[in-house]
Amino acid sequence: MKILVTGSSSGIGKATALKFASCGHEVVGLDILPSSIVNAAYTHVTADITASLPEIDGVEILINNAGVQDSGRDIDVNLKGTIAVTEKYGVRKGIKSVLFIASSSASTGSEFPEYAASKGGIVSYMKNVALRLAPLNATANSLSPGGVITELNKPVMTDKTKWKKIMSLTPLKKWATPEEIAEWAYFVTVVNKSMTAQDILIDNGEASKAEFIW
């Protein structure tokens, strides 16, 4: 199948592009930055999702991963940019699945204000897309990761005090890897045929943290 992954130059997007390419799919990566991926199944397109989008025909699976954090443009990039990408490449005949990479902050609100708002908007928009794709027998879902081991999160990962506090709030005492999120992305878009309009929280139990006081 032909897969389009936005934000494919690093982190979750890069791991996801590599996962699909390794499984024999034709993968197109779209990112404002260049890519270091070297794989015959991978083609890179340099573009800004908030600007004019290039023509990419025949997309069967769309994975919306591109985003920024606490940039002053979180709503424009994470929400409006994602909507533009989805309406151009995802809401059309021939599409089989659309996946959105949201965030646990969409449920908890525990993040930078505009970032949390943008990700909450993505989950709501995902459900709108799912309803419109159902007549095409296509699915739309979102993944909401909590902490993921990426370059973007290094400031807290390398701060011993902050990391200790984060782990105290995380029942499984770890964060996910980009490769683990990529496995989820593959399952939800390729293996899954019956789940749609759902958001999956992958946060090592952080949102469920509670203490029983008697």
Side-chain angles (χ1 to χ4, degrees):
M1 286 190 285
K2 188 171 184 177
I3 320 298
L4 175 59
V5 182
T6 68
S8 60
S9 290
S10 62
I12 293 172
K14 181 177 181 180
T16 300
L18 286 169
K19 168 65 181 178
F20 279 86
S22 71
C23 291
H25 297 282
E26 177 188 355
V27 181
V28 178
L30 192 156
D31 200 299
I32 198 169
L33 298 174
S35 173
S36 62
I37 295 176
V38 179
N39 189 301
Y42 180 80
T43 301
H44 191 74
V45 176
T46 304
D48 182 346
I49 64 170
T50 66
S52 179
L53 293 169
E55 294 301 321
I56 303 173
D57 297 327
V59 174
E60 295 170 274
I61 292 176
L62 169 61
I63 299 175
N64 284 298
N65 169 74
V68 293
Q69 179 177 280
D70 197 29
S71 67
R73 300 184 65 230
D74 291 20
I75 298 293
D76 288 336
V77 177
N78 299 353
L79 184 54
K80 292 182 179 180
T82 294
I83 290 173
V85 167
T86 304
E87 296 300 323
K88 184 174 181 67
Y89 307 117
V91 183
R92 43 169 290 279
K93 289 183 179 180
I95 196 73
K96 292 179 171 58
S97 186
V98 176
L99 179 67
F100 299 83
I101 305 300
S103 166
S104 60
S105 64
S107 299
T108 66
S110 181
E111 259 283 7
F112 303 105
E114 283 197 15
Y115 182 79
S118 70
K119 294 298 186 175
I122 283 175
V123 173
S124 180
Y125 173 65
M126 170 273 291
K127 295 180 180 183
N128 173 275
V129 172
L131 292 173
R132 290 188 286 144
L133 291 187
L136 301 176
N137 293 317
T139 63
N141 295 285
S142 58
L143 300 179
S144 281
V148 180
I149 300 172
T150 64
E151 286 291 319
L152 188 66
N153 289 322
K154 265 196 171 180
V156 291
M157 290 166 52
T158 56
D159 186 313
K160 290 183 179 180
T161 301
K162 290 179 180 177
W163 185 250
K164 184 178 180 180
K165 188 166 185 179
I166 289 169
M167 287 298 102
S168 74
L169 298 171
T170 308
L172 290 182
K173 307 302 179 189
K174 67 180 182 68
W175 273 5
T177 64
E179 290 74 22
E180 182 182 357
I181 304 303
E183 292 288 344
W184 277 99
Y186 193 87
F187 175 81
V188 170
T189 58
V190 176
V191 179
N192 165 56
K193 299 291 189 255
S194 299
M195 179 182 69
T196 196
Q198 300 301 308
D199 180 58
I200 301 174
L201 184 62
I202 310 166
D203 71 343
N204 285 291
E206 187 176 348
S208 67
K209 176 68 174 176
E211 293 184 12
F212 178 62
I213 307 298
W214 187 258

